[in-house]
Amino acid sequence: MLITVEDIRKYREIATNTQRNRVEVFIRETEELDIIPLLGVDEYDRLTSYGSAMVLGQTPLGQGTLGGPIGVVLTPEEKKLLNGGQYVDECGCTRRFQGLKAAESYLVFARFIKNHPLQVTPYGVVVKEGDDSSPASAQSIQGVSKDSEKIGRQYLADTMRYWRQVQGTGCCGDKCQPKIRASRRKFYVIGD
């Protein structure tokens, strides 16, 4: 995985007593559905191999989590891809972007906040409440989720614009915006 729960906490507040496995599900979903299709499997594997070594406290030339040698040293461009920064595009404009970690953190938070209060039990899906809590309205949960998703998608678009520039497949102008799925309202006709 490219990020951890601690990375998400840098951008959005998640309670410290939240179980990691509840959030990690959404990290995997976000990487599989949003990050890998844009980045490509080879580059994703390269970035996660490096990240695995760092999480385990090993040098990049240590053993990987799958038992193979890591041998991955990220280029400065790849580090910038992960963490964000500034670059000059082909038109000479200075651009700033937040990086994959920030984009993924917002997208994971959006998925997490939508589904977090729900618990699946043998008797059905329920909403768990604490003694000192009251449930948020569905509208407020949806609003927070949509806001985080919008931010995450914009950060991802900006990051992919940088990455395409580095790869030599980018160009300047709004016509070169990466094709990223936007969440839009759908209107259905009811009646005649």
Side-chain angles (χ1 to χ4, degrees):
M1 292 187 286
L2 293 173
I3 63 170
T4 64
V5 177
E6 285 74 30
D7 291 321
I8 298 169
R9 286 190 180 117
K10 293 176 187 172
Y11 301 98
R12 292 290 185 173
E13 190 173 329
I14 294 179
T16 54
N17 62 348
T18 301
Q19 296 174 351
R20 285 186 189 282
N21 60 349
R22 289 195 49 104
V23 180
E24 288 172 353
V25 168
F26 300 112
I27 293 174
R28 283 191 292 278
E29 281 180 10
T30 300
E31 289 181 357
E32 289 292 329
L33 298 174
D34 297 319
I35 305 295
I36 294 173
L38 292 173
L39 196 58
V41 174
D42 293 337
E43 186 63 30
Y44 172 79
D45 287 345
R46 182 173 159 72
L47 293 173
T48 55
S49 293
Y50 179 80
S52 298
M54 296 299 109
V55 168
L56 295 173
Q58 300 168 341
T59 64
L61 300 175
Q63 286 293 109
T65 56
L66 300 177
I70 301 252
V72 175
V73 177
L74 295 183
T75 65
E77 291 82 10
E78 289 171 323
K79 289 178 182 176
K80 192 183 280 189
L81 172 70
L82 284 174
N83 301 313
Q86 292 183 350
Y87 69 101
V88 178
D89 68 9
E90 291 177 350
C91 296
C93 298
T94 301
R95 297 192 179 266
R96 182 182 312 202
F97 67 102
Q98 298 300 314
L100 276 180
K101 286 185 176 184
E104 185 177 350
S105 294
Y106 278 98
L107 293 171
V108 168
F109 182 79
R111 282 188 167 95
F112 171 73
I113 201 72
K114 254 190 283 191
N115 298 298
H116 179 65
L118 302 177
Q119 297 281 335
V120 180
T121 69
Y123 305 105
V125 179
V126 298
V127 175
K128 297 280 187 173
E129 296 179 25
D131 294 336
D132 298 328
S133 66
S134 60
S137 70
Q139 288 175 321
S140 65
I141 291 172
Q142 184 179 14
V144 170
S145 176
K146 287 287 185 191
D147 181 52
S148 291
E149 184 178 2
K150 182 179 177 183
I151 293 169
R153 293 216 179 275
Q154 184 61 52
Y155 283 179
L156 187 57
D158 294 345
T159 300
M160 292 312 296
R161 173 186 271 176
Y162 161 76
W163 191 239
R164 288 191 176 106
Q165 169 98 12
V166 167
Q167 298 297 312
T169 59
C171 59
C172 56
D174 290 334
K175 64 183 181 286
C176 297
Q177 286 284 348
K179 303 278 192 260
I180 296 182
R181 215 174 50 246
S183 59
R184 302 187 191 275
R185 290 185 179 170
K186 295 180 183 176
F187 295 95
Y188 298 101
V189 176
I190 300 175
D192 293 338

